[in-house]
Amino acid sequence: MSENANSLWGSRFDGGPADSLAALSRSVHFDWRLAKYDIAGTRAHIRALHVAGYLTVAEVEKLDRDLLELLRRVEDGSFQAKVTDEDVHSALERGLIEITGVELGGKVRAGRSRNDQIATLIRTYLLDQANAIAQLVIQLIEVLVNRAEEHLGVAMPGRTHFQHAQPVLLSHHLLAHAWPLVRDLERLNDWTKRASLSPYGAGALAGNTLGLDPSLVARELGLAGPTQNSIDATASRDVVAEFAFIASLIGINLSRFSEEIIIWASAEFDYIKLSDSYSTGSSIMPQKKNPDIAELARGKSGRLIGDLTGLLVTLKGLPLAYNRDLQEDKEPVFDMVDTLLVLLPAFNGMVATMQFNKNRLEALAPAGFSLATDIAEWLVKKKIPFRDAHEITGKMVAFCEQHGLELHEVADADMAAISQHLTPDVRDVLTVGGSIKARAGAGGTALPRVLEQIAALRKIAPKREA
Ligand code: ARG
């Protein structure tokens, strides 16, 4: 049996908890990262205690100074959690009492519970992290827009089912990876509304009796206001789960792009060359240059989905209100934050520095009869029903396959034999440039539409000076 010296709840127990229980119960090795948020919460709480008449001006001022001293000691490492501290809250109460003395330090816990405390801290922590992640996502959008702008006018094969479909601008394709990230930013912004409410004042579950002002605490913490229901405030973690969903979606968006980067860097594709600084070698094969960042992004998206899934499963069977299961909400999102904060800088660097093989992209753009749709639509403009136009074009493709020709190489007489509607001027639309230019409808790949996208994206991710 251990002592119970640092516990916040020992008095009604005979002796301390079994070592095995203490080991199972302990969260300080991972929730210690919330220390500065816990201290911020306590600084707000003592103000509420003061306004409600439980601390004098002198007391609140002394406590505030001592809390700042505690924060300094936490930051420089001179105060650390011990294995005997159950969690970050217990450790910091011990730390405050060491500085302030037990009489004053012992007053601070009045009117709050670790249940409302932790529900608040996870929000303030995630709000900060969401902001850091959003900055990196904005940087990636900026990099994509920069790359798109550098390669205006370069055509490449557009694919569906991974088969050549229609030529598109490389810029259009790159920007197609920017827009999902814009939506991720919008999701984070919208999530912020729900995350920015303070559960402080909810107590263990039913509220507090001391007349503490939860709006004051929310204001002090920079949050929009208090939560509306104390049971919901302490028992719900949908705000955490929503963050986890958005974080995993960011991971999935990086992973989709990664899959392309890995393929593009292969000898068979040869669309891109990765910078030496953002690729790795093999310990046995001297010639190798590997797209490890993209592979790790793809791999880590699996890990992010695992974190989200684990969290959702933890939440699914919980009766109201607080249950200790909720302690399991933190490690998954901590892992997600750490994963994205280490992944995004490397990913951004890789995208910023990869070189596009312009000649190869342009040479492959018309391959695989990717201009066939242009023939069909040329026929439609001549008032041929699309059903017939599709069939005529299909016959032309079959003819080319049989004779080893490209679409523009079919002789006038052979075209006429396929259909009387196929006159020689159809060749006007059989160029990559013409095909791309014609796709000028909203959101299309034509250059003016791509320039519009760039202008819109620059408002979200302005170009920074190098
Ligand atoms: N470590 C706990 C958690 O993360 C803090 C709340 C503890 N509350 C309690 N009643 N034991 O959820």
Side-chain angles (χ1 to χ4, degrees):
M1 295 284 176
S2 60
E3 278 289 298
N4 207 3
N6 298 326
S7 164
L8 302 181
W9 44 263
S11 64
R12 57 102 64 220
F13 287 82
D14 282 336
D19 291 343
S20 56
L21 164 58
L24 172 65
S25 176
R26 185 174 301 131
S27 57
V28 75
H29 53 288
F30 60 82
D31 64 19
W32 185 242
R33 71 164 77 192
L34 300 175
K36 87 171 195 203
Y37 300 92
D38 193 88
I39 292 172
T42 302
R43 291 184 68 208
H45 180 65
I46 57 172
R47 284 174 174 70
L49 284 172
H50 165 62
V51 170
Y54 297 98
L55 293 172
T56 65
V57 175
E59 284 175 327
V60 79
E61 283 176 356
K62 172 162 175 48
L63 280 169
D64 203 42
R65 268 196 311 279
D66 292 349
L67 282 164
L68 287 174
E69 170 60 17
L70 178 61
L71 177 63
R72 197 190 59 71
R73 293 185 190 181
V74 167
E75 281 175 345
D76 74 11
S78 57
F79 180 77
Q80 287 177 357
K82 295 187 191 167
V83 275
T84 46
D85 294 318
E86 182 180 319
D87 54 24
V88 61
H89 321 294
S90 333
L92 291 173
E93 181 168 309
R94 175 175 64 77
L96 180 63
I97 285 173
E98 273 171 30
I99 301 170
T100 299
V102 70
E103 203 181 317
L104 182 56
K107 290 187 176 182
V108 169
R109 215 198 301 156
R112 72 175 178 186
S113 151
R114 283 180 292 166
N115 297 354
D116 59 352
Q117 233 176 314
I118 194 66
T120 308
L121 304 194
I122 192 70
R123 289 164 181 251
T124 47
Y125 166 80
L126 287 179
L127 283 162
D128 265 5
Q129 307 310 314
N131 190 44
I133 292 167
Q135 293 312 314
L136 289 165
V137 171
I138 291 171
Q139 188 187 85
L140 177 54
I141 296 168
E142 186 208 341
V143 166
L144 284 163
V145 177
N146 292 347
R147 304 316 312 264
E149 210 167 47
E150 283 160 33
H151 294 89
L152 286 177
V154 175
M156 71 180 286
R159 296 166 188 274
T160 60
H161 311 268
F162 208 63
Q163 308 298 310
H164 283 232
Q166 292 167 352
V168 294
L169 289 182
L170 170 61
S171 306
H172 194 54
H173 189 109
L174 291 173
L175 297 180
H177 285 299
W179 290 108
L181 298 169
V182 170
R183 293 191 291 277
D184 291 337
L185 288 177
E186 288 170 1
R187 286 181 188 98
L188 280 174
N189 260 329
D190 197 65
W191 165 84
T192 299
K193 284 189 282 193
R194 290 175 284 287
S196 300
L197 296 177
S198 168
Y200 244 95
L205 79 162
N208 74 79
T209 63
L210 301 182
L212 305 181
D213 178 5
S215 303
L216 182 155
V217 174
R219 222 172 24 249
E220 290 285 328
L221 290 174
L223 300 175
T227 46
Q228 300 289 312
N229 179 310
S230 61
I231 295 177
D232 174 46
T234 48
S236 296
R237 292 294 182 274
D238 53 293
V239 159
V240 181
E242 189 180 355
F243 172 87
F245 170 70
I246 300 167
S248 54
L249 203 50
I250 293 171
I252 288 167
N253 287 326
L254 299 186
S255 180
R256 295 194 306 146
F257 191 16
S258 294
E259 174 72 5
E260 292 189 328
I261 290 169
I262 292 162
I263 294 168
W264 289 355
S266 68
E268 288 78 2
F269 267 72
D270 193 25
Y271 282 11
I272 56 167
K273 276 208 174 16
L274 294 177
S275 153
D276 283 357
S277 312
Y278 291 96
S279 37
T280 51
S282 156
S283 52
I284 181 168
M285 298 167 284
Q287 84 286 7
K288 285 298 288 288
K289 185 160 151 180
N290 295 326
D292 284 29
I293 294 174
E295 292 169 83
L296 284 166
R298 198 174 53 181
K300 285 185 188 294
S301 70
R303 172 185 183 132
L304 292 167
I305 294 166
D307 287 330
L308 169 66
T309 309
L311 175 59
L312 290 173
V313 177
T314 296
L315 300 182
K316 84 175 247 302
L318 298 186
L320 300 177
Y322 179 84
N323 298 276
R324 192 63 183 278
D325 315 44
L326 290 175
Q327 181 163 299
E328 295 295 314
D329 68 344
K330 279 171 281 303
E331 283 166 293
V333 281
F334 291 173
D335 183 65
M336 299 180 101
V337 165
D338 294 345
T339 298
L340 288 178
L341 291 182
V342 77
L343 175 58
L344 278 160
F347 194 90
N348 295 358
M350 170 183 67
V351 177
T353 54
M354 64 194 194
Q355 279 178 20
F356 292 92
N357 188 345
K358 176 173 181 270
N359 294 339
R360 173 111 179 124
L361 289 166
E362 297 234 290
L364 287 173
F369 307 113
S370 68
L371 297 170
T373 319
D374 296 85
I375 301 181
E377 288 181 358
W378 177 85
L379 288 165
V380 166
K381 285 183 194 152
K382 307 232 166 238
K383 309 289 179 240
I384 312 295
F386 187 76
R387 195 182 156 80
D388 300 333
H390 190 284
E391 196 180 317
I392 293 167
T393 311
K395 284 187 184 148
M396 178 130 156
V397 169
F399 182 88
C400 286
E401 277 184 335
Q402 276 159 24
H403 296 87
L405 297 173
E406 293 296 331
L407 291 169
H408 65 270
E409 291 169 342
V410 180
D412 291 0
D414 292 328
M415 283 204 287
I418 293 165
S419 163
Q420 49 157 342
H421 301 297
L422 282 176
T423 49
D425 50 331
V426 70
R427 291 203 189 87
D428 294 349
V429 300
L430 288 181
T431 64
V432 168
S435 168
I436 287 173
K437 199 168 165 201
R439 291 194 156 65
T445 193
L447 188 60
R449 300 291 87 81
V450 171
L451 291 171
E452 283 167 9
Q453 293 181 57
I454 289 176
L457 288 165
R458 282 286 184 218
K459 292 197 183 121
I460 298 157
K463 192 178 181 119
R464 286 164 308 169
E465 296 316 314

